[in-house]
Amino acid sequence: MATINVTDESFKADVLESDKPVLVDFWADWCGPCKMIGPSLEEISDELSDQLTIAKMDIVENTGVPTDMGVQSIPLMVLFKNGKPVAQKLGAAPKNQLKGWIESEL
């Protein structure tokens, strides 16, 4: 399953009320490292689709949730389980490191 886009309006339903873990990638179009990890997150989303959903939130178009969560630097990935943030990773990394981190937190 490909990544999904979430907005301030859909965040509660898509992330907080999800029946499986959701990794939210806070990003922006002007962020080079964000663009670097995008394809890796798409691949990981397909590979781990039975275990979690990977969602992307553009912090320029959606300011409410990132502000509420105190997002100050991107890319920031936050893993939610049962509606609660349980782990986060700041910055870009190779696909194998991203996938390894995600699997270790599931």
Side-chain angles (χ1 to χ4, degrees):
M1 175 173 123
T3 61
I4 63 169
N5 289 315
V6 294
T7 64
D8 285 338
E9 292 76 28
S10 70
F11 187 80
K12 182 178 178 190
D14 291 342
V15 177
L16 301 182
E17 296 175 350
S18 176
D19 57 353
K20 64 181 176 179
V22 180
L23 179 72
V24 179
D25 172 29
F26 293 96
W27 71 285
D29 192 49
W30 50 261
C31 170
C34 299
K35 290 182 177 183
M36 288 173 39
I37 65 171
S40 296
L41 291 176
E42 292 290 338
E43 291 175 15
I44 294 167
S45 181
D46 289 338
E47 294 166 8
L48 300 179
S49 63
D50 58 329
Q51 297 176 53
L52 87 157
T53 300
I54 297 181
K56 299 178 72 63
M57 177 173 269
D58 184 329
I59 66 163
V60 173
E61 295 178 6
N62 304 280
T63 59
V65 170
T67 299
D68 292 347
M69 293 195 58
V71 175
Q72 296 182 355
S73 298
I74 55 173
L76 176 66
M77 291 157 278
V78 180
L79 181 64
F80 289 81
K81 287 184 185 176
N82 301 313
K84 305 276 189 231
V86 296
Q88 67 179 30
K89 181 170 184 58
L90 177 64
K95 178 188 171 188
N96 63 337
Q97 289 180 14
L98 293 174
K99 188 175 180 183
W101 171 73
I102 292 167
E103 290 175 323
S104 73
E105 298 291 345
L106 289 178

